[in-house]
């Protein structure tokens, strides 16, 4: 192992929002490398396939040499161990995120004390953005401009057309 500080940013990213992008950019400035790790098979009916989500994230972060996109399954701390990552990055939007995130962080510490969870706050403008809400707004015909990357906005529109509305 070298002395590089590698961080993992896990999530479902269905789809990637500007809140996620904000956290990834902050992480890319803080750590030597950050891996956007897309969790496999969590949602029973995701809007975007894992392959689509990987492709989107790779495209959005094409200009960031220290941002990597990967997928994982099973225990996050085991994945971190395999990758040689010492840090798990999570985003905190509001108090409502806190309880669940703290529980996860402490459980992960119990499972692997060598991995530290680091929380970051996004720009205020993204504190109300979630993938779930973005999907809901688009399904109901609203605009998510400036809340997701342009590429995601286009893909959301395509999905909506494909579903016959
Ligand atoms: N707008 C945001 N600002 C900061 N952190 C965020 C934002 N959206 C998500 N995160 C964080 O990113 C990580 C991965 O989140 P996840 O993939 O569940 O996104 P999500 O938007 O919460 O999706 P969903 O609505 O499907 O739960 C979590 O730590 C989550 O708190
Ligand atoms: Mg979430």
């Amino acid at each position: 192992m070298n002395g590089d500080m590698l961080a993992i940013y896990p999530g479902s990213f269905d789809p990637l929002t500007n809140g996620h992008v904000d956290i990834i950019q902050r992480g890319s400035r803080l750590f030597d490398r950050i891996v956007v790790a897309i969790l496999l098979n969590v949602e029973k009916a995701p809007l975007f396939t894992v392959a689509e989500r990987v492709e989107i994230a790779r495209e959005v972060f094409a200009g960031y040499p220290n941002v990597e996109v990967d997928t994982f399954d099973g225990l996050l701390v085991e994945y971190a161990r395999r990758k040689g990552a010492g840090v798990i990055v999570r985003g905190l939007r509001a108090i409502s995120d806190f309880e669940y995130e703290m529980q996860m962080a402490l459980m992960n510490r119990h499972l692997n004390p060598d991995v530290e969870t680091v929380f970051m706050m996004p720009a205020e403008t993204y504190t109300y953005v979630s993938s779930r809400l973005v999907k809901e707004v688009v399904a109901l015909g609203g605009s998510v401009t400036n809340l997701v990357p342009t590429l995601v906005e286009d893909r959301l529109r395509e999905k909506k057309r494909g579903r016959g509305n």
Side-chain angles (χ1 to χ4, degrees):
M1 252 186 59
N2 57 20
D4 278 6
M5 183 80 93
L6 171 60
I8 287 173
Y9 179 42
S12 38
F13 307 103
D14 182 36
L16 186 76
T17 70
N18 281 344
H20 297 132
V21 170
D22 178 290
I23 297 295
I24 296 163
Q25 286 170 336
R26 286 173 205 284
S28 79
R29 289 194 290 269
L30 205 52
F31 304 106
D32 295 302
R33 276 200 301 144
I34 181 162
V35 180
V36 179
I38 303 174
L39 186 47
L40 296 166
N41 308 325
V42 259
E43 297 260 0
K44 273 153 206 89
L47 183 61
F48 292 92
T49 66
V50 168
E52 287 173 319
R53 284 178 263 159
V54 166
E55 190 196 320
I56 289 168
R58 290 218 170 114
E59 205 159 318
V60 170
F61 288 98
Y64 292 70
N66 70 338
V67 176
E68 186 190 313
V69 181
D70 193 15
T71 60
F72 78 103
D73 215 347
L75 273 184
L76 176 60
V77 290
E78 279 310 314
Y79 171 71
R81 207 195 299 270
R82 284 203 304 278
K83 290 292 260 188
V87 172
I88 292 168
V89 166
R90 296 291 285 176
L92 278 184
R93 284 163 287 198
I95 296 286
S96 51
D97 278 335
F98 183 80
E99 196 170 350
Y100 174 73
E101 292 292 343
M102 178 172 160
Q103 216 175 7
M104 291 296 291
L106 293 178
M107 180 57 82
N108 283 331
R109 179 181 286 166
H110 167 80
L111 295 169
N112 184 348
D114 298 333
V115 178
E116 204 63 54
T117 301
V118 170
F119 293 102
M120 280 192 280
M121 272 173 270
E124 307 89 272
T125 40
Y126 302 131
T127 50
Y128 62 94
V129 178
S130 73
S131 298
R132 183 187 58 78
L133 213 47
V134 160
K135 285 183 281 196
E136 216 167 292
V137 167
V138 169
L140 297 172
S143 164
V144 291
T145 303
N146 297 328
L147 303 185
V148 298
T150 319
L151 168 66
V152 172
E153 209 184 335
D154 296 343
R155 296 297 184 89
L156 282 165
R157 215 174 287 127
E158 279 167 32
K159 287 269 178 201
K160 192 161 188 285
R161 265 202 306 272
R163 291 185 175 197
N165 41 152

